[in-house]
mmCIF file of all heavy atoms in Angstrom:
data_model
loop_
_atom_site.group_PDB
_atom_site.id
_atom_site.type_symbol
_atom_site.label_atom_id
_atom_site.label_comp_id
_atom_site.label_asym_id
_atom_site.label_seq_id
_atom_site.Cartn_x
_atom_site.Cartn_y
_atom_site.Cartn_z
ATOM 1 N N TYR A 26 5.418 1.774 -8.039
ATOM 2 C CA TYR A 26 5.750 0.504 -7.344
ATOM 3 C C TYR A 26 5.705 0.620 -5.836
ATOM 4 O O TYR A 26 5.930 -0.336 -5.092
ATOM 5 C CB TYR A 26 7.114 -0.038 -7.847
ATOM 6 C CG TYR A 26 7.088 -0.465 -9.264
ATOM 7 C CD1 TYR A 26 7.515 0.373 -10.264
ATOM 8 C CD2 TYR A 26 6.471 -1.683 -9.635
ATOM 9 C CE1 TYR A 26 7.417 0.013 -11.637
ATOM 10 C CE2 TYR A 26 6.401 -2.084 -10.922
ATOM 11 C CZ TYR A 26 6.867 -1.229 -11.950
ATOM 12 O OH TYR A 26 6.785 -1.601 -13.257
ATOM 13 N N PHE A 27 5.391 1.831 -5.338
ATOM 14 C CA PHE A 27 5.184 1.966 -3.935
ATOM 15 C C PHE A 27 4.039 1.064 -3.413
ATOM 16 O O PHE A 27 4.119 0.577 -2.307
ATOM 17 C CB PHE A 27 4.921 3.415 -3.535
ATOM 18 C CG PHE A 27 6.165 4.265 -3.275
ATOM 19 C CD1 PHE A 27 6.569 5.217 -4.159
ATOM 20 C CD2 PHE A 27 6.850 4.093 -2.108
ATOM 21 C CE1 PHE A 27 7.679 5.993 -3.976
ATOM 22 C CE2 PHE A 27 7.974 4.882 -1.841
ATOM 23 C CZ PHE A 27 8.430 5.789 -2.776
ATOM 24 N N ARG A 28 3.042 0.880 -4.222
ATOM 25 C CA ARG A 28 1.901 0.105 -3.745
ATOM 26 C C ARG A 28 2.298 -1.386 -3.546
ATOM 27 O O ARG A 28 1.816 -2.060 -2.670
ATOM 28 C CB ARG A 28 0.698 0.230 -4.712
ATOM 29 C CG ARG A 28 0.872 -0.428 -6.062
ATOM 30 C CD ARG A 28 -0.255 0.049 -6.985
ATOM 31 N NE ARG A 28 -0.417 -0.776 -8.182
ATOM 32 C CZ ARG A 28 0.306 -0.637 -9.287
ATOM 33 N NH1 ARG A 28 1.251 0.288 -9.366
ATOM 34 N NH2 ARG A 28 0.023 -1.402 -10.305
ATOM 35 N N PHE A 29 3.204 -1.875 -4.421
ATOM 36 C CA PHE A 29 3.690 -3.221 -4.222
ATOM 37 C C PHE A 29 4.663 -3.343 -3.064
ATOM 38 O O PHE A 29 4.663 -4.291 -2.318
ATOM 39 C CB PHE A 29 4.366 -3.730 -5.536
ATOM 40 C CG PHE A 29 3.434 -3.909 -6.659
ATOM 41 C CD1 PHE A 29 3.506 -3.121 -7.836
ATOM 42 C CD2 PHE A 29 2.446 -4.865 -6.630
ATOM 43 C CE1 PHE A 29 2.677 -3.361 -8.892
ATOM 44 C CE2 PHE A 29 1.567 -5.096 -7.668
ATOM 45 C CZ PHE A 29 1.665 -4.346 -8.790
ATOM 46 N N ALA A 30 5.498 -2.286 -2.887
ATOM 47 C CA ALA A 30 6.426 -2.272 -1.824
ATOM 48 C C ALA A 30 5.688 -2.283 -0.429
ATOM 49 O O ALA A 30 6.056 -2.944 0.502
ATOM 50 C CB ALA A 30 7.286 -1.061 -1.846
ATOM 51 N N ALA A 31 4.536 -1.585 -0.421
ATOM 52 C CA ALA A 31 3.715 -1.537 0.835
ATOM 53 C C ALA A 31 3.260 -2.968 1.165
ATOM 54 O O ALA A 31 3.198 -3.335 2.367
ATOM 55 C CB ALA A 31 2.529 -0.623 0.632
ATOM 56 N N ALA A 32 2.873 -3.784 0.160
ATOM 57 C CA ALA A 32 2.408 -5.121 0.418
ATOM 58 C C ALA A 32 3.575 -5.998 0.906
ATOM 59 O O ALA A 32 3.303 -7.016 1.562
ATOM 60 C CB ALA A 32 1.792 -5.723 -0.849
ATOM 61 N N GLU A 33 4.770 -5.648 0.578
ATOM 62 C CA GLU A 33 5.924 -6.501 0.889
ATOM 63 C C GLU A 33 6.528 -6.208 2.271
ATOM 64 O O GLU A 33 7.337 -7.004 2.770
ATOM 65 C CB GLU A 33 7.013 -6.335 -0.197
ATOM 66 C CG GLU A 33 6.590 -6.893 -1.545
ATOM 67 C CD GLU A 33 7.351 -6.259 -2.683
ATOM 68 O OE1 GLU A 33 8.227 -5.485 -2.447
ATOM 69 O OE2 GLU A 33 6.929 -6.573 -3.907
ATOM 70 N N VAL A 34 6.147 -5.140 2.946
ATOM 71 C CA VAL A 34 6.685 -4.855 4.250
ATOM 72 C C VAL A 34 5.726 -5.198 5.406
ATOM 73 O O VAL A 34 6.017 -4.952 6.551
ATOM 74 C CB VAL A 34 7.080 -3.368 4.363
ATOM 75 C CG1 VAL A 34 8.180 -3.001 3.364
ATOM 76 C CG2 VAL A 34 5.904 -2.411 4.262
ATOM 77 N N VAL A 35 4.548 -5.809 5.048
ATOM 78 C CA VAL A 35 3.576 -6.186 6.062
ATOM 79 C C VAL A 35 3.263 -7.702 5.889
ATOM 80 O O VAL A 35 3.623 -8.311 4.860
ATOM 81 C CB VAL A 35 2.249 -5.383 5.967
ATOM 82 C CG1 VAL A 35 2.593 -3.903 6.148
ATOM 83 C CG2 VAL A 35 1.578 -5.604 4.576
ATOM 84 N N GLU A 36 2.549 -8.217 6.848
ATOM 85 C CA GLU A 36 2.172 -9.633 6.790
ATOM 86 C C GLU A 36 1.085 -9.792 5.690
ATOM 87 O O GLU A 36 0.377 -8.856 5.326
ATOM 88 C CB GLU A 36 1.586 -10.076 8.114
ATOM 89 C CG GLU A 36 2.613 -10.031 9.232
ATOM 90 C CD GLU A 36 2.022 -10.320 10.606
ATOM 91 O OE1 GLU A 36 0.790 -10.607 10.643
ATOM 92 O OE2 GLU A 36 2.731 -10.210 11.611
ATOM 93 N N ALA A 37 0.944 -11.005 5.174
ATOM 94 C CA ALA A 37 0.065 -11.281 4.047
ATOM 95 C C ALA A 37 -1.372 -10.823 4.330
ATOM 96 O O ALA A 37 -2.061 -10.299 3.432
ATOM 97 C CB ALA A 37 0.092 -12.782 3.705
ATOM 98 N N ALA A 38 -1.857 -11.070 5.519
ATOM 99 C CA ALA A 38 -3.270 -10.703 5.863
ATOM 100 C C ALA A 38 -3.505 -9.164 5.742
ATOM 101 O O ALA A 38 -4.627 -8.781 5.539
ATOM 102 C CB ALA A 38 -3.618 -11.169 7.220
ATOM 103 N N TRP A 39 -2.445 -8.398 5.907
ATOM 104 C CA TRP A 39 -2.604 -6.923 5.847
ATOM 105 C C TRP A 39 -2.229 -6.299 4.523
ATOM 106 O O TRP A 39 -2.245 -5.109 4.389
ATOM 107 C CB TRP A 39 -1.712 -6.339 6.977
ATOM 108 C CG TRP A 39 -2.338 -6.485 8.321
ATOM 109 C CD1 TRP A 39 -2.063 -7.490 9.216
ATOM 110 C CD2 TRP A 39 -3.286 -5.610 8.957
ATOM 111 N NE1 TRP A 39 -2.824 -7.293 10.355
ATOM 112 C CE2 TRP A 39 -3.570 -6.141 10.206
ATOM 113 C CE3 TRP A 39 -3.943 -4.418 8.562
ATOM 114 C CZ2 TRP A 39 -4.481 -5.574 11.100
ATOM 115 C CZ3 TRP A 39 -4.858 -3.846 9.419
ATOM 116 C CH2 TRP A 39 -5.137 -4.410 10.654
ATOM 117 N N GLN A 40 -1.908 -7.139 3.540
ATOM 118 C CA GLN A 40 -1.477 -6.606 2.270
ATOM 119 C C GLN A 40 -2.546 -5.735 1.569
ATOM 120 O O GLN A 40 -2.249 -4.634 1.052
ATOM 121 C CB GLN A 40 -1.054 -7.693 1.322
ATOM 122 C CG GLN A 40 0.341 -8.319 1.693
ATOM 123 C CD GLN A 40 0.801 -9.419 0.784
ATOM 124 O OE1 GLN A 40 0.052 -9.809 -0.169
ATOM 125 N NE2 GLN A 40 1.971 -9.892 0.933
ATOM 126 N N PRO A 41 -3.851 -6.169 1.525
ATOM 127 C CA PRO A 41 -4.870 -5.310 0.898
ATOM 128 C C PRO A 41 -4.985 -3.947 1.570
ATOM 129 O O PRO A 41 -5.129 -2.890 0.877
ATOM 130 C CB PRO A 41 -6.098 -6.107 0.989
ATOM 131 C CG PRO A 41 -5.674 -7.513 1.165
ATOM 132 C CD PRO A 41 -4.421 -7.432 1.920
ATOM 133 N N VAL A 42 -4.851 -3.918 2.866
ATOM 134 C CA VAL A 42 -5.011 -2.693 3.632
ATOM 135 C C VAL A 42 -3.778 -1.805 3.348
ATOM 136 O O VAL A 42 -3.932 -0.547 3.121
ATOM 137 C CB VAL A 42 -5.100 -2.939 5.142
ATOM 138 C CG1 VAL A 42 -5.116 -1.675 5.929
ATOM 139 C CG2 VAL A 42 -6.317 -3.775 5.430
ATOM 140 N N ALA A 43 -2.605 -2.362 3.300
ATOM 141 C CA ALA A 43 -1.408 -1.607 3.036
ATOM 142 C C ALA A 43 -1.431 -0.992 1.628
ATOM 143 O O ALA A 43 -1.108 0.196 1.448
ATOM 144 C CB ALA A 43 -0.151 -2.507 3.170
ATOM 145 N N ILE A 44 -1.865 -1.731 0.679
ATOM 146 C CA ILE A 44 -1.990 -1.262 -0.721
ATOM 147 C C ILE A 44 -2.971 -0.134 -0.807
ATOM 148 O O ILE A 44 -2.751 0.966 -1.381
ATOM 149 C CB ILE A 44 -2.395 -2.371 -1.697
ATOM 150 C CG1 ILE A 44 -1.232 -3.405 -1.826
ATOM 151 C CG2 ILE A 44 -2.715 -1.809 -3.064
ATOM 152 C CD1 ILE A 44 -1.628 -4.662 -2.543
ATOM 153 N N SER A 45 -4.153 -0.313 -0.125
ATOM 154 C CA SER A 45 -5.204 0.697 -0.168
ATOM 155 C C SER A 45 -4.773 1.994 0.510
ATOM 156 O O SER A 45 -4.946 3.055 -0.057
ATOM 157 C CB SER A 45 -6.421 0.113 0.561
ATOM 158 O OG SER A 45 -7.486 1.084 0.602
ATOM 159 N N LEU A 46 -4.201 1.874 1.673
ATOM 160 C CA LEU A 46 -3.755 3.056 2.370
ATOM 161 C C LEU A 46 -2.655 3.817 1.646
ATOM 162 O O LEU A 46 -2.524 5.029 1.695
ATOM 163 C CB LEU A 46 -3.313 2.745 3.812
ATOM 164 C CG LEU A 46 -4.416 2.262 4.740
ATOM 165 C CD1 LEU A 46 -3.820 1.936 6.114
ATOM 166 C CD2 LEU A 46 -5.503 3.372 4.946
ATOM 167 N N MET A 47 -1.811 3.007 0.909
ATOM 168 C CA MET A 47 -0.741 3.697 0.126
ATOM 169 C C MET A 47 -1.294 4.601 -0.922
ATOM 170 O O MET A 47 -0.721 5.699 -1.243
ATOM 171 C CB MET A 47 0.151 2.608 -0.541
ATOM 172 C CG MET A 47 1.428 3.141 -1.148
ATOM 173 S SD MET A 47 2.499 4.055 -0.010
ATOM 174 C CE MET A 47 2.951 2.735 1.152
ATOM 175 N N LEU A 48 -2.450 4.259 -1.464
ATOM 176 C CA LEU A 48 -3.057 5.062 -2.508
ATOM 177 C C LEU A 48 -3.788 6.282 -1.941
ATOM 178 O O LEU A 48 -4.179 7.194 -2.666
ATOM 179 C CB LEU A 48 -4.071 4.254 -3.336
ATOM 180 C CG LEU A 48 -3.406 3.248 -4.301
ATOM 181 C CD1 LEU A 48 -4.469 2.567 -5.110
ATOM 182 C CD2 LEU A 48 -2.379 3.875 -5.200
ATOM 183 N N THR A 49 -3.894 6.404 -0.562
ATOM 184 C CA THR A 49 -4.525 7.595 -0.023
ATOM 185 C C THR A 49 -3.528 8.735 -0.210
ATOM 186 O O THR A 49 -3.969 9.957 -0.152
ATOM 187 C CB THR A 49 -4.773 7.437 1.499
ATOM 188 O OG1 THR A 49 -3.544 7.163 2.209
ATOM 189 C CG2 THR A 49 -5.797 6.370 1.754
ATOM 190 N N SER A 50 -2.326 8.481 -0.440
ATOM 191 C CA SER A 50 -1.326 9.511 -0.727
ATOM 192 C C SER A 50 -1.755 10.389 -1.949
ATOM 193 O O SER A 50 -1.419 11.565 -2.024
ATOM 194 C CB SER A 50 0.068 9.000 -0.940
ATOM 195 O OG SER A 50 0.085 8.144 -2.074
ATOM 196 N N GLY A 51 -2.464 9.743 -2.900
ATOM 197 C CA GLY A 51 -2.924 10.504 -3.998
ATOM 198 C C GLY A 51 -3.907 11.578 -3.674
ATOM 199 O O GLY A 51 -3.949 12.650 -4.357
ATOM 200 N N LEU A 52 -4.680 11.405 -2.609
ATOM 201 C CA LEU A 52 -5.630 12.416 -2.139
ATOM 202 C C LEU A 52 -4.848 13.618 -1.582
ATOM 203 O O LEU A 52 -5.210 14.781 -1.917
ATOM 204 C CB LEU A 52 -6.583 11.874 -1.108
ATOM 205 C CG LEU A 52 -7.661 12.776 -0.555
ATOM 206 C CD1 LEU A 52 -8.580 13.163 -1.721
ATOM 207 C CD2 LEU A 52 -8.433 12.073 0.544
ATOM 208 N N VAL A 53 -3.860 13.340 -0.802
ATOM 209 C CA VAL A 53 -3.002 14.426 -0.307
ATOM 210 C C VAL A 53 -2.357 15.188 -1.450
ATOM 211 O O VAL A 53 -2.276 16.426 -1.465
ATOM 212 C CB VAL A 53 -2.045 13.891 0.712
ATOM 213 C CG1 VAL A 53 -1.093 15.050 1.245
ATOM 214 C CG2 VAL A 53 -2.669 13.190 1.860
ATOM 215 N N ALA A 54 -1.754 14.354 -2.393
ATOM 216 C CA ALA A 54 -1.033 14.977 -3.516
ATOM 217 C C ALA A 54 -1.993 15.883 -4.342
ATOM 218 O O ALA A 54 -1.553 16.898 -4.900
ATOM 219 C CB ALA A 54 -0.438 13.875 -4.358
ATOM 220 N N ALA A 55 -3.237 15.401 -4.493
ATOM 221 C CA ALA A 55 -4.183 16.190 -5.334
ATOM 222 C C ALA A 55 -4.449 17.527 -4.788
ATOM 223 O O ALA A 55 -4.707 18.496 -5.537
ATOM 224 C CB ALA A 55 -5.499 15.383 -5.423
#
């Protein structure tokens, strides 16, 4: 649910970017 939380702390226009960047954490984790 971090990806949904990311969308909720930014303005609506930036929600897709926030969700996308949140998933970059998977690359670091890998």
Side-chain angles (χ1 to χ4, degrees):
Y26 293 99
F27 271 107
R28 69 191 197 278
F29 291 115
E33 292 157 6
V34 298
V35 300
E36 297 172 3
W39 284 93
Q40 286 182 354
V42 177
I44 293 169
S45 178
L46 291 178
M47 190 58 62
L48 288 184
T49 61
S50 62
L52 183 62
V53 178

